Structure formats: C-alpha cells, structure tokens
Amino acid sequence: MSRRPVAILYRMVMPEHVCPYGLKALDLLRRKGFEVEDHHLTDRARTDAFKAGHGVKTTPQVFIAGERIGGYDDLRRHFGSRVAEPGTTSYRPVAALFAITALLAMAVSLGTLGAPFTPQALQWLGGFSMATLALLKLQNIETFSTMFLNYDLLARRWVRYGYVYPFAEALAGVLMTAGVLDWLSIPIALFIGIIGAASVFKAVYVDRRELKCACVGGSADVPLGFVSLTENLGMIAMAVWMLVRSGSM
C-alpha cells in the first residue's frame, strides 16, 4: 500500500483571525492527494518568530519533500495552476456578467413566455445588463468616476457626468426591463452609448492608450478595448432595436 506524499503547512490560526490563504492551501494540498502536517501559529509572537526563522515575510508557508514551496500563490504555481499577476487585466468580469444576465433573461422568458429565446428576452438582456453594470459602478462611485475620467470625452469636459452616468444607466436598464417609458429609456441608452463608443474608440484605436475600463466599477482590472467598445455598440443597437420595435407596434 503506497503512502500518500506529505506536505508541511504553517498557517495562522488565532482566536481572532484564521488566515483564509492558509485554509485555501490546506484544501489544495488535500485535493492533490497530500497528507498534511498542519502546524498552527496561534499568536503574533509565534508567527513573527516563524517568519524570522525562515526568512519569509508572509504566511502560510508550505514545505514539500524538504523544499519550501512558499505561500498559496506559490503552491498554485507549483501545481501548474494559473495565477493572476499584479497589474494584469482580464475580460473575465465582463464575460461573467453578460453570461449571467443572458441566463437570467432566458430564464424569465422561459418562465413567463414558455420559451427562452424570444424578442422579449433580448430586451430583458439589455435591461438586466445595464442595471447590473450600473450597480457595480455605484458600489464606489468615487473610484468609478475617477477611472472614467481617464478616457470619457464628456466627463473630461463636465466632471459631474461621471457621477450622473451610473444613475442614467440604471434608469435606462430598469425602464427597458419593464418595457415602459421608451421615450425616456431609448434616448438615454443612445446618448451614453454613443458617447461611450466614441470615447473608447478614440482612447484605444486613435490614441493607442492602454487603460483599464471603468465599465464594471473602478476597482476591476478589465482592459479598455474591443469588449468595452462592443458593450457601448450593443447599448446603441439595443436602443435602435427598441425604437424600431416600438414604431412597428
């Protein structure tokens, strides 16, 4: 009978604080089939002594076969997992948002109209997406408005637009979802979509600037680029589609 490989883990486990990365390291090691010698650093003095003795600045620390692997991110690298480096950007937050809002729109369409793929589901997708994006911006409107000023053409001329934008986006999204007051939601969506598309196009494709997008809030590491432009063009297309649809009804 083969014995499982052994890993030694040192992590902070104090009455007032249990290190979350220590718990993640413990879970990862166990999932990889390791038997873990789990050593708890139960107070600040023991933690500081451990770090000084091993010449490290952080805990947890993992040792495998007598070799110090490092902390949780180092352990993930050791097992070949992807680790996001500081300053890197990703479209994952935007992709996740639109995937969830699309599923929500199809779910509501299925529950109320009996089919997931309907014209109404498309309208709900637009409304849900705009309202959710606005919600993310409103979590910290100061951070959003600051990042927004890096590229938005109107906000640079009228700073308060950075504060108005999330509320206008939320209003348009809610009205589109309800299917009411098209005379208000359509112009709002067209206005912010056109300004947004022009701003992104100029910053990325004319000025060739590498910036982070404020579309999912000011703290996200989403690059300003094709996806950001597509988001604004989608908002314009949604408004035009609603305008045509309302005119034909």
Side-chain angles (χ1 to χ4, degrees), residues 228-245:
S228 309
L229 180 61
T230 303
E231 174 198 345
N232 286 286
L233 293 176
M235 197 181 304
I236 297 170
M238 184 69 203
V240 172
W241 178 81
M242 287 187 64
L243 186 62
V244 172
R245 189 182 182 204

Side-chain angles (χ1 to χ4, degrees), residues 76-242:
R76 284 176 53 83
R77 294 187 187 95
H78 176 76
F79 289 131
S81 299
R82 179 182 174 275
V83 177
E85 301 298 335
T88 57
T89 56
S90 171
Y91 287 116
R92 184 175 298 177
V94 177
L97 184 147
F98 284 113
I100 295 299
T101 52
L103 289 172
L104 281 172
M106 289 188 290
V108 174
S109 180
L110 180 63
T112 57
L113 303 176
F117 303 105
T118 62
Q120 188 62 49
L122 182 62
Q123 181 171 326
W124 283 329
L125 169 60
F128 289 161
S129 299
M130 291 177 68
T132 305
L133 286 166
L135 174 64
L136 293 173
K137 295 176 177 71
L138 289 169
Q139 289 183 106
N140 191 330
I141 196 169
E142 286 295 336
T143 303
F144 160 74
S145 61
T146 300
M147 185 178 288
F148 198 52
L149 284 168
N150 284 323
Y151 59 89
D152 190 82
L153 297 174
L154 180 56
R156 287 186 163 193
R157 290 179 173 271
W158 180 44
V159 173
R160 299 306 300 176
Y161 179 60
Y163 295 89
V164 172
Y165 182 100
F167 293 98
E169 186 177 38
L171 177 61
V174 170
L175 293 178
M176 283 184 174
T177 300
V180 298
L181 301 181
D182 289 351
W183 59 268
L184 180 59
S185 65
I186 292 173
I188 291 175
L190 278 175
F191 181 82
I192 63 179
I194 290 171
I195 296 296
S199 299
V200 172
F201 185 84
K202 182 178 186 301
V204 176
Y205 300 103
V206 177
D207 299 338
R208 303 290 182 178
R209 300 174 65 199
E210 294 184 2
L211 299 169
K212 292 180 181 179
C213 182
C215 51
V216 291
S219 59
D221 292 326
V222 176
L224 189 70
F226 175 76
V227 171
S228 309
L229 180 61
T230 303
E231 174 198 345
N232 286 286
L233 293 176
M235 197 181 304
I236 297 170
M238 184 69 203
V240 172
W241 178 81
M242 287 187 64

Side-chain angles (χ1 to χ4, degrees), residues 9 20-30 36 60 62 71-72 75:
L9 171 65
Y21 292 104
L23 288 172
K24 285 187 172 184
L26 178 63
D27 173 70
L28 179 56
L29 287 166
R30 286 174 173 169
V36 183
V62 178
Y72 175 65
L75 184 62

